[in-house]
Amino acid sequence: MSDAEQPTDDHVPGAEEEEFEPIQVFPEAEEMDLRPGADNCYKCSTCDTNCPVAEVDDEFPGPKFQGPEQWRLKRQDDHDIDDSVMKCSNCMRCDSACPSEVPLSQMHNTARGEYVEEQMDTFSREYLRNRILANYRRLAPLAAAFPRTANFVMGLSVTKWMGEKLLGITSERDFPEFATETFREWWTKRGGAKVENPDKRIAYFHGCYSNYNTPEVAKALVRVYEHFGYEIMVPDQSCSGTPMFANGMLEDARRAAETNVRELAAALEDGADIVASCSSCSMSLRQEYPELFDFENTESVAENTWDAVEYLRVHEDLEGELEGRSVDGDEFDDFAYHAPCHSRNQGLDGQTIEVLSVIDGIEAHDVGDSCSGISGTYGWKEENYETSMKIGEEMFEHMDAADAETGLTECPTCSMQMEHGTGYEIKHTLEVLEAALVGSGSAASGRREAG
Amino acid sequence: MAIEDDVLVIGGGLAGATAALAAADAAPDVRVRLVTYKQSTLRHASGLIDILGYAPDSPEEGPLVDPFDALSDLPEGHPYERVGSDAVREALAFFDDVAGDAYAGDHTDANALVPTHGGTVKPTARYPVSTADGLASDDRDALLVGFETLPDFEAPLAAAHLEAAGAPFSARGATIPFPGVVRDDAKVTRYAHLLDQDETVTTGAGETGAREALATTVAERLGDESRVGFPAVLGDEHAAEVRADLAAALGADVFEVPMGPPSLPGMRLEDLLYDALEEAGVRVTSGVPVIDYETAEADAVAADGGSGGDRIERVVVDRNGTEIPYRADQYVLATGGLVGKGVRSERERVFEPIFDCHVPHAADRYDWFVDDVFGDQPYARFGLASDRELRPLDADDEPEFSNLRAAGAVLGGYDFAAEKSGAGVSLATGYVAGTRAGEEAE
Ligand SMILES: Cc1cc2nc3c(=O)[nH]c(=O)nc-3n(C[C@H](O)[C@H](O)[C@H](O)COP(=O)(O)OP(=O)(O)OC[C@H]3O[C@@H](n4cnc5c(N)ncnc54)[C@H](O)[C@@H]3O)c2cc1C
Ligand code: SF4
Ligand code: SF4
């Protein structure tokens, strides 16, 4: 829980603070009182030194300004939110930097929401574009229904040109391909869970990307968890809200969150824990929901959400199980691993390297602590493309220098950026675990199953 | 299940990183993990390694020439007195090994005098190589260069201060625009990035790389001086290369003047330590706090009471609301002082939040400070008391736990700001706590 909710600077971090009533942010986001958090700021500027955007973009004033300073200004007189807040990429690095526990990203999310609500013209090109990017999930089902057509159309240079001219979506990038079969379609066709186990149950929050674009990641999770004897539930779900927070579309995020909290809370009732395979999704459920919303059960959903690999490390002897195993096939050799910002913020940055190091013949090389630069929808915007690539430069350099030709990460948009900047193929940690535990043979049969 | 290791270090500042490295070094077969929450005070610190700049009981006598000389006179309970002066030397040698050619000063026991951004000189034992050409004992004339958009370093003022302080050379200051930076509050990382990546910038002379553009602007102001000092923003990852390029273009040596927080030399030291940790196979978990512990009986002992077994079985890490158990054989507590939040204060008490180790302090909070702001402040010495093994002691002078040691600013009994001993104490106690933990876990 953040200081904004518990206004004191000497509480034990993370300890129970149940007496406190969370604040309802909506419908009047501007009423949320973040001042206690702002007062904790002693202007050390540590946050500023962690901001990847301020490092390369001379126009961005940095997290200290966006957070506590802007907040203070606003309280004093009738200051408008500074439009630079839209240049923040929501990487949330400043959050884990602040030694004084100022809830920076919560301030940014709230300020962005207010900016969009009050200062952005809802008929503007920018608003329309941001809304489309933030609500990618609404378009995805359509594309997924006609994946080949969609991939074809999205790949056309005329489409890209129009995207840039009409909407301000950069033409430099390739749109992600849609899978010919979504994960949920596969799941239904397969007849749902293959394992029943009232004592070991998880509810899988797959998020949009692994449903529509990389179902192989979601399938890998299913096979790995079933290998350990888990019964898997796949509750109805909406987008996690990450792209909406980043674009200040808090109303959209609220709607999505409401569905997710309701469905996931029901799964908790059924004795399941929640696991996610995307680091931004788990971040959103764990941190942003309780910071911004107070639906019934928001807290319990947050407290019972896990990163998929971490869950196995704590509840099973994952490393023991991997010990001495090896993986066939050239695609599983050495990896250039990038820890996404949203993993880093959850203290998971070292995990993949640790876990994979026990598998024979595979090594994951950490490519350093820089941000990939794409930050979800951020790097898709024409005006941010250059900034995004400048931020990514250090990661590209390190990937090139690492002893590996394949990239590895847990964030779908980081993987787009890694691929875009280096041309490497990018895998997800769960795919490597699947190959080691269940074998690539069954990965192939999985594909047949899917086909 | 829990996440299992042999040695668990809590806190990733200078003390924690040193403890983890020392444990891995003392016992190569043990599995060492470091768990840390927020970023450490290294980001604020100058990157200088002070052992002892002033004698705690007679600071008015001025900077100490030989810090080791003074170690034997320290009062009982001072962290250096606890570990002994041999350990301080060993720890420093250990640091020299880790730092390699990134640091200088190991050729002598005497303190070096490094000019700071305010134009004062600071006694220190080890300094980043980037500052080496700036030492105040060097008699070459110096040009100090400040940037219009970086008000923390007023070059002409700093130069005047240095001369007034009796530096054996003449110093001159010049303030210039930094090519490529327009914002008047640009972050220090912005300057460093421009130079690191040698980004193309536009100046009156057209489009050039940032390094060349900077050198050209400075060259116009350079007189006979054979060395040029800049605020410490000359690159991050490629700092040595940036300095070398500037020096070549200027035909003069280039040095950095340490700045106030946030500080690039501090960040570079942090990077250096974390690279060393990776190299040594230490597992690092960052961004999450340790919030609680359980004793061998496996019954949770709340941080604010409970009977308290004498051996820590595991600690609890808070992962954005989810509680994750971490188990080890030996633990090192290196969570920092009041700034790092390893020691916290409320109106009624001063306490250590994870294990609730005893923090000696006066019962009346009006005795925690003295009115003279420059006086000898009791709160500056707040922290844990320990035995010679660095095990924290309870109110009866008994070790709180048999497998817990403490290092760095979480320890009490010294005032790092007044005696200029912050990094030295972190190194010495981190080294001893880590070495012992490693040996015992083996
Ligand atoms: C502004 C400033 C300038 C300084 N300048 C100098 C100088 O010029 N020379 C010098 O020698 N010294 C200097 N120092 C002092 C020196 O930096 C410190 O004394 C020393 O580095 C302290 O190191 P540490 O590792 O004990 O603590 P810290 O650096 O404070 O690190 C403690 C770490 O523990 C983490 N932590 C805290 N609680 C938890 C928890 N519950 N779970 C997990 N992790 C936790 C914190 O997030 C932090 O990362 C300066 C200090 C400051 C503040
Ligand atoms: S969230 Fe990231 S981009 Fe935004 S202010 Fe913080 S560090 Fe900068
Ligand atoms: S890191 Fe925290 S205390 Fe320091 S300037 Fe940023 S918000 Fe303020």
Side-chain angles (χ1 to χ4, degrees):
Chain A
M1 216 183 257
S2 71
D3 273 10
E5 296 164 65
Q6 176 73 12
T8 158
D9 63 354
D10 10 74
H11 68 284
V12 180
E16 290 296 335
E17 283 149 11
E18 66 272 282
E19 335 74 44
F20 186 72
E21 286 285 309
I23 305 154
Q24 168 63 314
V25 195
F26 295 97
E28 287 124 350
E30 66 273 25
E31 280 178 15
M32 187 173 191
D33 188 8
L34 290 169
R35 218 205 64 190
D39 286 348
N40 275 356
C41 169
Y42 62 104
K43 304 202 180 193
C44 67
S45 299
T46 305
C47 53
D48 285 345
T49 62
N50 280 268
C51 177
V53 176
E55 184 175 325
V56 301
D57 180 356
D58 212 38
E59 272 157 33
F60 186 62
K64 181 177 61 174
F65 173 82
Q66 297 300 349
E69 283 180 3
Q70 168 146 283
W71 204 263
R72 250 179 250 136
L73 278 177
K74 259 187 64 62
R75 311 262 322 177
Q76 277 158 13
D77 33 71
D78 243 356
H79 261 276
D80 280 343
I81 301 279
D82 194 79
D83 61 2
S84 59
V85 74
M86 298 307 285
K87 289 197 156 275
C88 156
S89 76
N90 198 39
C91 70
M92 301 168 90
R93 277 183 177 243
C94 44
D95 252 2
S96 49
C98 175
S100 194
E101 299 171 336
V102 174
L104 287 148
S105 69
Q106 185 183 17
M107 290 175 167
H108 299 160
N109 276 331
T110 315
R112 258 194 309 267
E114 188 176 328
Y115 176 79
V116 170
E117 176 132 331
E118 294 182 3
Q119 282 154 259
M120 210 189 234
D121 176 4
T122 49
F123 294 105
S124 68
R125 180 180 99 144
E126 189 185 359
Y127 179 82
L128 179 66
R129 190 259 331 257
N130 290 1
R131 192 99 201 251
I132 290 177
L133 285 173
N135 287 281
Y136 147 87
R137 170 155 194 300
R138 298 206 170 270
L139 296 178
L142 191 66
F146 308 99
R148 290 189 185 86
T149 317
N151 290 338
F152 175 69
V153 173
M154 293 303 218
L156 289 178
S157 59
V158 60
T159 311
K160 293 187 177 183
W161 181 81
M162 291 212 325
E164 181 152 312
K165 289 297 164 235
L166 287 176
L167 290 169
I169 296 175
T170 179
S171 62
E172 300 284 341
R173 294 186 187 277
D174 295 323
F175 286 99
E177 281 205 17
F178 288 94
T180 46
E181 181 184 54
T182 67
F183 166 67
R184 294 187 77 94
E185 284 165 2
W186 174 82
W187 179 252
T188 311
K189 217 190 261 177
R190 160 194 217 250
K194 290 258 167 82
V195 175
E196 275 180 41
N197 188 346
D199 300 325
K200 282 168 84 170
R201 240 179 227 162
I202 55 131
Y204 177 31
F205 190 84
H206 49 68
C208 310
Y209 202 77
S210 65
N211 186 39
Y212 294 111
N213 302 92
T214 55
E216 61 276 12
V217 171
K219 292 178 202 168
L221 179 136
V222 167
R223 297 195 184 106
V224 168
Y225 269 78
E226 287 190 344
H227 173 82
F228 283 103
Y230 282 88
E231 176 174 341
I232 298 164
M233 302 166 68
V234 184
D236 280 346
Q237 52 194 268
S238 215
C239 168
S240 70
T242 303
M244 299 156 180
F245 300 134
N247 284 289
M249 308 285 172
L250 288 187
E251 270 303 327
D252 293 341
R254 188 181 67 90
R255 244 176 276 121
E258 194 168 14
T259 307
N260 292 336
V261 169
R262 186 184 59 235
E263 296 294 332
L264 295 173
L268 289 179
E269 284 284 300
D270 290 336
D273 285 322
I274 303 155
V275 305
S277 50
C278 158
S279 41
S280 293
C281 292
S282 54
M283 187 72 183
S284 181
L285 296 175
R286 279 170 154 181
Q287 181 175 325
E288 284 166 316
Y289 282 15
E291 279 183 356
L292 297 168
F293 312 121
D294 74 339
F295 312 117
E296 199 183 349
N297 298 321
T298 308
E299 286 289 342
S300 57
V301 165
E303 281 165 21
N304 292 292
T305 297
W306 296 73
D307 166 80
V309 177
E310 179 183 36
Y311 189 84
L312 292 176
R313 287 187 85 190
V314 173
H315 294 88
E316 307 293 330
D317 185 8
L318 177 61
E319 283 169 50
E321 188 76 15
L322 288 169
E323 199 92 46
R325 285 185 188 253
S326 59
V327 182
D328 316 327
D330 291 348
E331 45 173 351
F332 296 100
D333 191 1
D334 281 3
F335 292 98
Y337 176 70
H338 163 74
C341 293
H342 291 178
S343 277
R344 197 167 282 286
N345 299 339
Q346 297 182 53
L348 296 170
D349 45 333
Q351 171 175 280
T352 291
I353 306 266
E354 284 174 29
V355 169
L356 298 196
S357 69
V358 269
I359 305 176
D360 280 350
I362 290 191
E363 212 177 322
H365 306 274
D366 194 332
V367 296
D369 62 1
S370 70
C371 171
S372 79
I374 189 167
S375 278
T377 61
Y378 185 83
W380 282 92
K381 299 176 186 172
E382 185 197 349
E383 71 274 22
N384 295 339
Y385 177 74
E386 204 190 324
T387 304
S388 155
M389 293 303 280
K390 274 190 193 167
I391 296 173
E393 190 60 42
E394 198 177 314
M395 179 187 77
F396 304 145
E397 275 176 24
H398 288 190
M399 282 179 72
D400 281 336
D403 223 356
E405 311 283 85
T406 310
L408 188 71
T409 193
E410 291 89 26
C411 168
T413 53
C414 289
S415 82
M416 287 180 208
Q417 177 86 334
M418 292 164 79
E419 187 183 342
H420 183 62
T422 62
Y424 288 7
E425 190 198 343
I426 318 297
K427 293 227 173 272
H428 187 288
T429 307
L430 282 167
E431 295 180 80
V432 186
L433 295 186
E434 180 202 12
L437 291 170
V438 196
S440 41
S442 43
S445 74
R447 245 170 255 133
R448 241 173 284 125
E449 228 174 296
Chain B
M1 289 291 297
I3 311 250
E4 306 263 345
D5 298 281
D6 301 311
V7 173
L8 184 76
V9 177
I10 307 166
L14 185 54
T18 306
L21 288 170
D25 187 63
D29 292 335
V30 311
R31 197 140 105 175
V32 184
R33 180 184 299 275
L34 185 151
V35 180
T36 188
Y37 187 26
K38 304 290 184 172
Q39 281 171 349
S40 76
T41 50
L42 278 173
R43 293 204 160 231
H44 309 261
S46 54
L48 301 175
I49 304 291
D50 307 342
I51 297 294
L52 196 64
Y54 295 86
D57 46 359
S58 49
E60 64 289 347
E61 281 173 21
L64 294 167
V65 176
D66 184 343
F68 297 101
D69 238 11
L71 289 183
S72 51
D73 300 333
L74 292 173
E76 190 176 334
H78 191 290
Y80 285 144
E81 178 275 330
R82 297 281 88 180
V83 299
S85 61
D86 285 348
V88 180
R89 279 185 190 275
E90 282 169 36
L92 207 56
F94 185 72
F95 174 80
D96 290 336
D97 230 30
V98 172
D101 50 15
Y103 270 74
D106 55 351
H107 59 287
T108 166
D109 271 357
N111 271 327
L113 295 173
V114 176
T116 69
H117 61 292
T120 56
V121 288
K122 184 168 184 209
T124 193
R126 297 288 185 274
Y127 41 92
V129 279
S130 67
T131 59
D133 273 311
L135 294 195
S137 50
D138 190 334
D139 59 9
R140 289 178 295 160
D141 291 348
L143 171 68
L144 299 184
V145 176
F147 303 127
E148 284 165 2
T149 43
L150 200 68
D152 290 352
F153 182 59
E154 287 247 30
L157 201 67
H161 275 184
L162 270 179
E163 290 201 338
F169 54 88
S170 91
R172 195 165 58 84
T175 303
I176 61 165
F178 189 97
V181 169
V182 194
R183 277 203 87 76
D184 56 12
D185 62 346
K187 315 300 163 235
V188 290
T189 43
R190 173 87 186 120
Y191 297 89
H193 184 91
L194 279 168
L195 292 170
D196 244 3
Q197 299 293 332
D198 202 11
E199 262 180 39
T200 309
V201 295
T202 314
T203 59
E207 286 204 345
T208 51
R211 297 178 195 172
E212 185 184 335
L214 178 59
T216 309
T217 322
V218 172
E220 291 162 13
R221 275 92 174 167
L222 186 63
D224 299 334
E225 294 96 347
S226 59
R227 50 180 179 157
V228 183
F230 292 90
V233 297
L234 303 184
D236 184 1
E237 252 204 281
H238 308 298
E241 199 182 296
V242 170
R243 255 187 353 270
D245 279 4
L246 290 175
L250 286 168
D253 286 334
V254 165
F255 64 91
E256 288 187 318
V257 179
M259 299 283 290
S263 142
L264 273 154
M267 290 178 221
R268 294 182 204 130
L269 173 57
E270 188 175 79
D271 286 345
L272 184 151
L273 292 169
Y274 279 79
D275 286 349
L277 288 167
E278 194 185 334
E279 187 77 10
V282 172
R283 302 175 153 209
V284 176
T285 301
S286 61
V288 285
V290 174
I291 54 167
D292 206 350
Y293 70 99
E294 288 166 17
T295 48
E297 303 85 61
D299 53 342
V301 178
D304 55 354
S307 57
D310 66 350
R311 199 178 163 78
I312 297 161
E313 175 64 17
R314 48 187 179 172
V315 295
V316 179
V317 167
D318 171 65
R319 179 94 79 232
N320 308 57
T322 315
E323 297 195 346
I324 319 277
Y326 278 72
R327 214 202 65 78
D329 186 50
Q330 297 293 319
Y331 297 84
V332 176
L333 181 68
T335 44
L338 287 165
V339 179
K341 301 244 167 177
V343 177
R344 292 182 181 235
S345 68
E346 285 170 354
R347 288 184 71 85
E348 300 304 325
R349 63 183 191 130
V350 186
F351 64 107
E352 181 282 297
I354 303 175
F355 302 101
D356 200 27
C357 289
H358 173 65
V359 183
H361 63 279
D364 186 341
R365 65 201 222 63
Y366 290 98
D367 294 333
W368 295 355
F369 52 90
V370 292
D371 285 337
D372 173 7
V373 284
F374 295 109
D376 188 10
Q377 295 290 355
Y379 68 77
R381 294 167 194 275
F382 280 169
L384 311 183
S386 80
D387 65 10
R388 291 177 185 279
E389 277 262 291
L390 295 177
R391 279 186 297 241
L393 298 174
D394 65 16
D396 301 323
D397 282 348
E398 292 296 323
E400 297 258 14
F401 303 94
S402 60
N403 57 345
L404 178 71
R405 291 179 177 77
V410 74
L411 289 168
Y414 72 116
D415 180 347
F416 81 82
E419 63 190 42
K420 305 277 179 249
S421 63
V425 167
S426 292
L427 278 180
T429 55
Y431 175 76
V432 170
T435 305
R436 297 276 185 285
E439 285 166 358
E440 223 161 288
E442 220 168 11

